[in-house]
Amino acid sequence: MTAMHQQLSPLCPYCGDWSEKVGGDVIYPHRPDLHEKTFYLCRPCWAYVGCHPGTDRPLGRLADAELRKWKSRVHAEFDPIWQARWERKAAEDPKYKKAMARGGRYKALADLLGIPREDCHIGMFDVETCKRAVEICESGQLES
C-alpha cells in the first residue's frame, strides 16, 4: 500500500488493517440512491464509514455493526433536540440559524460528556460514549 493511500485510508480500530475506498454499491447493493457515495470499508470486520459529500474525507471513524447501531440511536435522540430548539428559537428570531441550534446542543453535550467541543462528533464516538450520550439526551438535560 502506498504512503498516500495510508494517509487517506482510515486504519480499522478492530483488526488494525487498512480500509479501502469503495462505492456505496458495495456497502448498500440494495440502495441505488447510495451507489455513488464514497465509503471506507474494512472487509475482514465489515466496519465502514461514509465520506463527506464530494470528498474522500471520512465522516467519522470506521464502525462495526454494534457501533453503527449506537450511532443511529444517538442521532435518533439528539437530532430532535437540536431541531426542536431551532424551530422554537427561529419562530422568535428569524436570524436564528440551524447551525446555531445544532452547535449549541453539541457544546452542551460536550460539556455533559466532559470532552472538548471539537471532539464532540457522533461520527467519532465509540460505543461507550454513544451510550452516555443517549442517557444524557433521554435525561432531558439538553432540552433548554
Side-chain angles (χ1 to χ4, degrees):
M1 183 173 301
T2 68
M4 176 58 94
H5 186 263
Q6 289 178 353
Q7 288 176 341
L8 297 176
S9 192
L11 190 63
C12 179
Y14 305 103
C15 72
D17 280 355
W18 291 105
S19 59
E20 64 178 286
K21 189 167 56 169
V22 299
D25 57 320
V26 174
I27 307 290
Y28 297 105
H30 58 289
R31 295 275 313 268
D33 58 312
L34 299 177
H35 287 188
E36 299 300 316
K37 295 195 178 283
T38 303
F39 292 82
Y40 287 101
L41 168 67
C42 175
R43 287 191 190 264
C45 298
W46 202 252
Y48 57 85
V49 63
C51 292
H52 289 272
T55 74
D56 292 338
R57 196 166 48 103
L59 285 164
R61 58 181 284 173
L62 290 166
D64 64 5
E66 180 184 15
L67 182 53
R68 289 191 301 271
K69 175 190 80 164
W70 279 102
K71 285 185 190 184
S72 291
R73 178 115 184 258
V74 176
H75 275 294
E77 297 290 337
F78 180 74
D79 293 350
I81 293 169
W82 73 257
Q83 290 166 351
R85 182 180 180 87
W86 172 67
E87 290 171 5
R88 186 175 62 255
K89 295 262 191 178
E92 300 166 6
D93 177 6
K95 293 180 182 176
Y96 192 80
K97 306 292 183 207
K98 277 186 180 182
M100 296 165 75
R102 191 167 154 233
R105 294 305 83 204
Y106 264 112
K107 168 81 170 82
L109 180 60
D111 291 346
L112 291 165
L113 287 170
I115 62 175
R117 167 60 184 96
E118 60 270 14
D119 294 339
C120 193
H121 302 281
I122 295 169
M124 296 304 295
F125 288 176
D126 59 16
V127 171
E128 198 53 45
T129 306
C130 286
K131 288 178 180 179
R132 290 175 46 219
V134 166
E135 288 175 7
I136 289 167
C137 291
E138 289 177 339
S139 75
Q141 296 177 75
L142 291 177
E143 297 178 26
S144 59

